[in-house]
Amino acid sequence: MAEKLNGEVYYPSEEVISYARIKNWDELNNFAKKDLQNFWAKEAEELFWFKKWDKVLDDSNKPFYKWFTGAKTNIVYNCLDAHLKTHRRNKLAFIWEGENGEWKTMSYHALHRETCKFANVLKSMGVQKGDRVTIYMGRIPEIIIAMLASARIGAVHSVVYGGFSVESLAERIEDSQSKVLIVADGAFQRGRIVPLKKIADEALERCGTVEHVLVVKRTGQEINMEYGRDMWYHELMNLPIASNSCALEEMDSEDPLFILYTSGTTGKPKAILHTHGGYMVGIYTSLKYVFDIHEEDRYWCAADPGWITGHSYIVYGPLLNGTTSFIYEGAPNFPYPNRWWQMIEKYGINILYTAPTAIRGLMRFGEAWVKRHNLSSLRLLGSVGEPINPEAWKWYYKVVGNERCPIMDTWWQTETGMFMITPMPSVPLKPGSGTKPFPGIEMDVVDEKGNPVKPNEEGYLIIKTPWPAMIRTVYKDPERYVSQYWSKYPGVYLTGDSARKDEDGYFWIIGRVDDVIKVSGYRLGTAEIESALVSHNAVAEAAAIGLPHEVKGNAIYAYVILRNGIEKSPALIEELRQHVSHEVGPIAKPERIEFVDSLPKTRSGKIMRRVLKAKALGQDPGNISTLEE
Ligand code: WT7
């Protein structure tokens, strides 16, 4: 390692470098810089296409970029069918452990078979290319089968995280106009059952498009099955229509693969749209280089398939790379705080990819829980979702990784589809920094006018070059796509984050600059929490903000104006917290609710959350010239 970097730096060991696929990051980066299209074309050539592309990048209609235009493929072919012709046919695609200790494994052959069977079931329900299918389940193998089956026949999946609740599910089904909902009866979480089917039943009363509900039996508790609408997955999979082979739909490179809802600055969550071709190339390449997938690896991304991390790096990325993934259903500390470490030892996991909030949570229990286990199989660690504080980074590095395993701190978003700022194993690390943009991606930190700021100064984080896994549009709302991401600075993608870049060109993420709150790495909008509060009949107005929290990163604080004549009481506070949990999901439940008589607003009536935040933190609210008296 030639150059000397500033600050606290962890240089890779000889051992790490000798095993790493990319030993010289600069070389790869220079190659991508010199010829961006050729860089991505070379990666794309490692995958199978029914028909090759005419053009790698079509930027004739910015910001509606297109990748690999003219090509025909299907991401599922590369995830499954392609492997069946190789030694990977009998390799495990995944190993799954339930929270209750049950376990299951599935080879590529078996996953292909189950996917085909379920794809046939979906077809028999009338699902066709382009139709949307909503999936609402916990972390069980069937969620992966459902996603792959829908993609196989060209349908567009919309996975709703199992931690969301009634209103969140209802508005996502409604917006996507799904005719089919695939749901589990329940999910095991920290020894309890989350009643997914019951939540879905309630959601379906609020939206009217769903004709068929396919129910996976996981927990076995009593549920309501509506005659003519609801059917059991296991019964359908035993019918002759669920045959073992199912033709694959040849998709246009730019055909949609999925939509995934995420919170934005204002209003309702928006559906981010990703495609078969470019998305496939982006996540295949980024996972291969960053987590340095080797044939013999056992890889564990501990996220949930219901978020982009799960879509890209539990489902599609690992399967494209033909790797063996581990998937765990439940809570990290159930029944004891050593659950994760026990499973790493038991299954011989080599790569662990998780979130700072999980690390901080497990760190609280002390290192003895970790040290009881032999974690020598670990080779690489990863972090995603929010900035990792240096204390947590060092604990992860020392206690979990035994000072041998580099930490891949990957910055990206639902919209980017793939890692954007990230190290690779041979790159020198600084705790708390994701290092530099992935090869071929140019990013910067700029001021209000769009000019680059000086080293170590804070500014807006932007992306200057298109990339294959990029968001194509906001589903049904192309104007929002343009106004949200491409309007502040022409030709430049606005991330919504603030950041600094140091003198070595390393990026340091500070946090969101919009009305998005990151709670335990989960992305929530103040608008969603506020509208849930206002939907309660005691509430006239509400404002939500995020305040620093030791484990969660941010916790939600809500300020509520009650309707005339409503009595303030601690019981009402609890009722409102439960109400938000019931409508949006437990992750959105406010940490604290305070009753107030007024809220700081601009003259045009916008709530000034910045002022609330400053007040709560005892800070100076800054410029309040727009504040209405
Ligand atoms: C936002 C995107 C895509 C992964 C899951 C989150 C924050 C994400 C990091 C990181 C600092 C991070 C940003 C970003 N974020 N990764 N490594 N360091 N911040 O996806 O739900 O779309 O959220 O998560 O604020 O904008 P998401």
Side-chain angles (χ1 to χ4, degrees):
M1 199 40 59
E3 65 191 314
K4 175 113 179 50
L5 302 174
N6 299 287
E8 189 179 12
V9 186
Y10 290 65
Y11 292 94
S13 66
E14 285 305 322
E15 196 192 341
V16 165
I17 295 174
S18 70
Y19 197 70
R21 175 185 262 107
I22 298 300
K23 303 193 196 313
N24 188 337
W25 183 87
D26 289 308
E27 207 175 274
L28 189 70
N29 190 46
N30 290 338
F31 168 55
K33 241 194 181 141
K34 220 168 61 211
D35 192 345
L36 182 73
Q37 300 201 23
N38 190 26
F39 171 78
W40 288 114
K42 278 192 78 167
E43 296 298 336
E45 272 157 20
E46 294 182 11
L47 297 160
F48 176 84
W49 305 78
F50 298 112
K51 177 176 172 282
K52 271 274 177 75
W53 50 90
D54 304 322
K55 232 176 164 182
V56 175
L57 170 65
D58 174 355
D59 58 2
S60 57
N61 183 24
K62 294 172 189 171
F64 296 92
Y65 294 91
K66 290 181 179 165
W67 285 84
F68 304 103
T69 50
K72 294 270 184 205
T73 188
N74 185 314
I75 194 169
V76 178
Y77 186 93
N78 283 299
C79 288
L80 299 175
D81 304 56
H83 302 310
L84 300 191
K85 301 185 178 116
T86 71
H87 62 280
R88 287 181 184 151
R89 174 185 146 89
N90 291 321
K91 183 174 173 174
L92 294 184
F94 60 79
I95 302 166
W96 170 84
E97 187 168 303
E99 196 183 71
N100 59 358
E102 271 174 60
W103 59 275
K104 199 185 262 182
T105 60
M106 221 177 251
S107 66
Y108 275 88
H109 173 81
L111 184 57
H112 174 264
R113 181 192 62 229
E114 296 303 302
T115 299
C116 285
K117 282 168 69 78
F118 193 56
N120 283 321
V121 169
L122 290 177
K123 271 186 169 170
S124 77
M125 303 282 148
V127 178
Q128 291 178 350
K129 181 175 173 180
D131 288 350
R132 278 80 53 217
V133 169
T134 297
I135 302 173
Y136 181 59
M137 280 189 234
R139 282 189 291 270
I140 52 176
E142 287 81 358
I143 191 171
I144 298 175
I145 295 166
M147 290 165 74
L148 295 170
S150 120
R152 185 172 191 90
I153 59 173
V156 180
H157 58 71
S158 167
V159 181
V160 179
Y161 170 56
F164 277 128
S165 200
V166 180
E167 184 57 25
S168 303
L169 178 59
E171 76 187 9
R172 285 160 173 79
I173 292 175
E174 184 71 34
D175 187 77
S176 66
Q177 298 282 299
S178 297
K179 277 184 284 191
V180 172
L181 170 67
I182 309 161
V183 62
D185 55 351
F188 287 117
Q189 186 64 28
R190 206 160 278 126
R192 287 200 300 256
I193 288 176
V194 184
L196 295 173
K197 175 64 166 64
K198 189 162 167 270
I199 295 170
D201 285 339
E202 219 182 302
L204 291 177
E205 283 168 23
R206 301 186 191 179
C207 55
T209 58
V210 171
E211 292 162 14
H212 304 291
V213 180
L214 315 184
V215 190
V216 175
K217 187 175 250 167
R218 167 63 190 128
T219 50
Q221 89 272 26
E222 194 69 41
I223 56 162
N224 157 58
M225 292 290 280
E226 194 175 302
Y227 183 76
R229 186 194 72 182
D230 304 353
M231 278 159 284
W232 286 107
Y233 175 94
H234 62 270
E235 287 178 2
L236 293 166
M237 291 290 266
N238 274 328
L239 296 176
I241 45 141
S243 85
N244 291 335
S245 75
C246 172
L248 204 123
E249 191 74 36
E250 289 189 14
M251 305 298 282
D252 222 85
S253 181
E254 282 290 312
D255 276 338
L257 167 64
F258 64 83
I259 51 176
L260 185 59
Y261 287 84
T262 193
S263 307
T265 301
T266 49
K268 287 190 172 174
K270 47 188 190 260
I272 307 302
L273 187 127
H274 285 289
T275 57
H276 275 259
Y279 175 78
M280 169 172 83
V281 175
I283 58 170
Y284 164 73
T285 308
S286 53
L287 183 62
K288 178 180 70 174
Y289 288 138
V290 174
F291 283 110
D292 199 17
I293 301 296
H294 288 237
E295 199 58 52
E296 62 278 20
D297 280 337
R298 284 189 168 184
Y299 159 91
W300 180 17
C301 169
D304 193 281
W307 297 88
I308 191 68
T309 313
H311 281 56
S312 297
Y313 299 115
I314 293 178
V315 182
Y316 292 112
L319 295 175
L320 289 169
N321 279 280
T323 193
T324 299
S325 281
F326 174 64
I327 299 157
Y328 167 59
E329 178 184 35
N333 57 345
F334 188 85
Y336 300 109
N338 63 331
R339 180 67 185 263
W340 271 23
W341 322 123
Q342 194 181 36
M343 294 186 302
I344 290 172
E345 180 174 9
K346 178 172 172 191
Y347 297 107
I349 307 294
N350 308 105
I351 302 163
L352 171 65
Y353 184 31
T354 183
T357 185
I359 299 161
R360 290 192 297 261
L362 290 164
M363 195 170 129
R364 270 191 321 177
F365 297 113
E367 61 176 77
W369 288 104
V370 192
K371 293 298 170 199
R372 276 166 59 177
H373 298 277
N374 177 355
L375 304 186
S376 59
S377 61
L378 286 175
R379 185 179 92 242
L380 286 175
L381 301 173
S383 174
V384 64
E386 54 176 322
I388 180 164
N389 47 311
E391 304 85 86
W393 194 99
K394 285 176 196 167
W395 189 84
Y396 197 26
Y397 185 76
K398 286 200 178 111
V399 179
V400 180
N402 213 359
E403 302 185 41
R404 288 184 304 108
C405 310
I407 299 175
M408 303 297 106
D409 179 358
T410 60
W411 178 93
W412 57 296
Q413 309 177 301
T414 308
E415 293 87 341
T416 71
M418 60 178 269
F419 307 145
M420 298 301 280
I421 300 176
T422 176
M424 290 183 195
S426 59
V427 168
L429 303 173
K430 302 188 189 185
S433 167
T435 75
K436 295 181 186 180
F438 191 82
I441 289 158
E442 279 180 51
M443 295 182 63
D444 210 345
V445 179
V446 299
D447 65 17
E448 206 54 54
K449 292 206 186 83
N451 300 315
V453 298
K454 294 200 193 84
N456 294 315
E457 267 177 26
E458 182 175 346
Y460 297 99
L461 182 68
I462 55 147
I463 308 174
K464 300 201 294 191
T465 38
W467 63 101
M470 68 197 295
I471 171 179
R472 292 304 191 272
T473 189
V474 173
Y475 179 64
K476 294 198 302 194
D477 199 352
E479 274 147 40
R480 194 158 170 202
Y481 168 66
V482 178
S483 65
Q484 178 100 43
Y485 304 105
W486 300 95
S487 294
K488 190 170 169 87
Y489 312 109
V492 165
Y493 173 93
L494 186 72
T495 65
D497 280 16
S498 63
R500 296 185 287 115
K501 197 166 85 171
D502 71 17
E503 47 283 84
D504 298 316
Y506 276 43
F507 285 76
W508 300 77
I509 307 299
I510 295 163
R512 298 290 307 194
V513 282
D514 52 11
D515 293 326
V516 167
I517 310 179
K518 278 275 171 165
V519 185
S520 299
Y522 297 122
R523 179 163 161 184
L524 293 166
T526 53
E528 287 159 272
I529 302 156
E530 290 160 6
S531 73
L533 283 165
V534 174
S535 74
H536 189 283
N537 54 24
V539 177
E541 268 188 87
I545 56 168
L547 291 180
H549 184 280
E550 210 182 320
V551 175
K552 298 179 184 174
N554 292 290
I556 298 165
Y557 279 59
Y559 299 87
V560 165
I561 304 178
L562 292 175
R563 291 200 178 178
N564 277 338
I566 303 278
E567 196 84 27
K568 296 172 185 165
S569 74
L572 182 56
I573 289 181
E574 200 39 45
E575 190 180 318
L576 292 176
R577 293 180 67 226
Q578 287 306 335
H579 179 72
V580 176
S581 176
H582 180 262
E583 292 295 306
V584 186
I587 46 167
K589 193 179 190 178
E591 193 84 1
R592 261 194 73 176
I593 293 180
E594 211 175 291
F595 295 129
V596 293
D597 298 322
S598 67
L599 289 167
K601 285 188 190 159
T602 61
R603 276 175 216 109
S604 58
K606 270 180 75 179
I607 296 171
M608 295 181 82
R609 297 188 186 78
R610 174 171 70 77
V611 174
L612 285 171
K613 200 164 166 173
K615 196 168 164 249
L617 295 169
Q619 291 169 352
D620 173 17
N623 181 359
I624 50 167
S625 59
T626 55
L627 186 71
E628 185 196 46
E629 258 334 292

